[in-house]
């Protein structure tokens, strides 16, 4: 992936600087607070990862920890004075990349277990929706917001920005080894794919809002399928199929992600003559 001509990201003049090492340290602190708070609040409860069975389990394991993490990330961005580059993205991609957000959003709407949510009730469902949106906000702000910005401001090419922001996002989910065991390794791989898709969505939409919403929708749909223990929800398999299909499409068109420059367009027209 070649960087566009304006790939060198410039921070606001009054902003503070953040090194890659400091960013990694910030991610570690974020994870310690997130998981530490969840473990503390759920002490004595038999909870499963991303599968709250009751409202009490949900606010303890997801809602409150994610809300606190959002506040911490917002505080960090404010201290750095990085809001403009975190919220907006001026590195566009070609139009066809819109299939990624459309595919993920459509899949999320189909996969959501509406029957299980109806059984749980409106309060449970709305709290789950809020919790999922908090997950989307916190993870997008720190990984696609701060992460992408720090790598760009350090001078990484856009290809390396995509790679390292995605790798760190995936490795951050390896902390789930503490709760779900070896299954977390598979989650790391799928999260790496999803992380790259969310990076593309940030660039295609021009900001952090759309990837945060789609991230929240995706998690909402997957968690909804696990709120009733022992109840199979075969539509969840569609999420894996969707990720695989989108991965094949993106891989096949990987040379057509970056925008066509005027010089490239001229060469293409000449080659057709």
């Amino acid at each position: 992936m070649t960087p566009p001509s304006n790939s060198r990201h410039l921070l606001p003049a009054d902003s503070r600087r953040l090194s890659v090492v400091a960013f990694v340290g910030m991610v570690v602190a974020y994870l310690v607070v997130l998981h530490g708070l969840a473990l503390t609040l759920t002490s004595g409860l038999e909870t499963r990862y991303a599968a709250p069975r009751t409202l009490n389990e949900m606010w303890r394991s997801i809602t409150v920890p994610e809300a606190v993490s959002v506040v911490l990330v917002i505080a960090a961005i404010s201290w750095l004075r990085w809001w403009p580059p975190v919220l907006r993205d001026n590195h566009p991609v070609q139009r066809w990349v819109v299939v990624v957000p459309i595919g993920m959003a459509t899949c999320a709407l189909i996969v959501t277990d509406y029957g299980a949510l109806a059984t749980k009730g409106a309060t449970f469902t709305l709290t789950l929706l809020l919790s999922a949106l908090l997950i989307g906000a916190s993870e997008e702000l720190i990984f696609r917001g701060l992460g992408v910005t720090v790598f760009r401001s350090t001078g990484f090419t856009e290809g390396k920005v995509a790679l390292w922001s995605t790798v760190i996002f995936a490795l951050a989910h390896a902390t789930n080894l503490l709760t779900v065991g070896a299954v977390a390794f598979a989650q790391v791989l799928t999260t790496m794919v999803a992380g790259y898709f969310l990076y593309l969505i940030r660039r295609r939409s021009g900001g952090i809002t759309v990837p945060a919403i789609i991230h929240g929708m995706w998690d909402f749909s997957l968690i909804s399928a696990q709120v009733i223990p022992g109840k199979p929800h075969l539509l969840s398999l569609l999420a894996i199929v969707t990720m695989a299909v989108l991965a094949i499409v993106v891989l096949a068109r990987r040379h057509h992600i970056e925008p066509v420059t005027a010089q490239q367009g001229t060469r293409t027209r000449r080659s057709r003559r």
Side-chain angles (χ1 to χ4, degrees):
M1 185 184 296
T2 57
S5 59
N6 62 342
S7 65
R8 185 73 62 165
H9 195 82
L10 298 178
L11 296 173
D14 63 343
S15 66
R16 293 182 169 90
R17 295 298 185 265
L18 185 70
S19 68
V20 172
V21 173
F23 168 68
V24 172
M26 185 178 293
V27 171
V28 171
Y30 163 89
L31 294 172
V32 168
V33 171
L34 179 65
H35 292 290
L37 188 55
L39 288 172
T40 300
L41 291 176
T42 58
S43 178
L45 298 178
E46 294 183 2
T47 59
R48 297 181 304 150
Y49 172 72
R53 296 164 296 181
T54 66
L55 192 61
N56 182 49
E57 285 185 11
M58 189 179 345
W59 75 259
R60 289 174 180 271
S61 63
I62 304 177
T63 315
V64 172
E66 291 295 343
V68 171
S69 71
V70 168
V71 171
L72 292 177
V73 176
I74 288 175
I77 298 171
S78 300
W79 180 79
L80 290 166
R81 303 189 187 99
W82 278 16
W83 281 113
V86 165
L87 293 179
R88 296 191 294 272
D89 197 296
N90 62 351
H91 294 67
V93 290
Q94 293 195 37
R95 292 181 178 179
W96 71 266
V97 178
V98 74
V99 303
V100 176
I102 290 176
M104 290 187 70
T106 302
C107 176
L109 291 173
I110 296 174
V111 167
T112 298
D113 192 339
Y114 299 101
L117 293 176
T119 301
K120 291 293 184 178
T123 302
F124 182 95
T125 300
L126 291 175
T127 305
L128 176 57
L129 178 60
L130 171 63
S131 302
L133 291 175
L134 286 171
I135 295 172
S138 66
E139 294 192 357
E140 291 310 303
L141 283 173
I142 193 167
F143 294 109
R144 252 69 60 186
L146 284 173
V148 166
T149 301
V150 74
F151 287 119
R152 283 177 178 168
S153 65
T154 307
F156 283 47
T157 63
E158 200 58 31
K160 290 183 178 179
V161 170
L163 173 64
W164 290 113
S165 62
T166 299
V167 166
I168 291 175
F169 173 65
L171 290 178
H173 286 75
T175 55
N176 292 328
L177 284 166
L178 299 174
T179 54
V180 298
V183 177
F185 285 116
Q187 186 188 21
V188 169
L189 295 177
T190 56
T191 301
M192 185 173 293
V193 176
Y196 180 63
F197 289 167
L198 291 164
Y199 159 82
L200 290 178
I201 295 171
R202 171 187 165 92
R203 291 183 61 185
R204 181 65 185 88
S205 64
I208 202 73
T209 304
V210 175
I213 292 173
I214 291 180
H215 190 152
M217 290 176 60
W218 188 264
D219 285 358
F220 176 79
S221 67
L222 295 180
I223 295 174
S224 73
Q226 302 184 73
V227 297
I228 299 180
K231 178 181 178 295
H233 186 60
L234 296 180
L235 279 177
S236 296
L237 296 176
L238 181 61
I240 299 175
V241 174
T242 299
M243 297 295 279
V245 171
L246 289 176
I248 292 171
V249 171
V250 170
L251 182 62
R253 296 189 59 82
R254 64 189 182 279
H255 298 302
H256 303 280
I257 292 176
E258 300 296 341
V260 178
T261 64
Q263 185 177 6
Q264 289 172 329
T266 301
R267 287 200 299 265
T268 301
R269 287 192 294 271
R270 287 176 178 172
S271 66
R272 291 175 178 174
R273 292 175 182 175

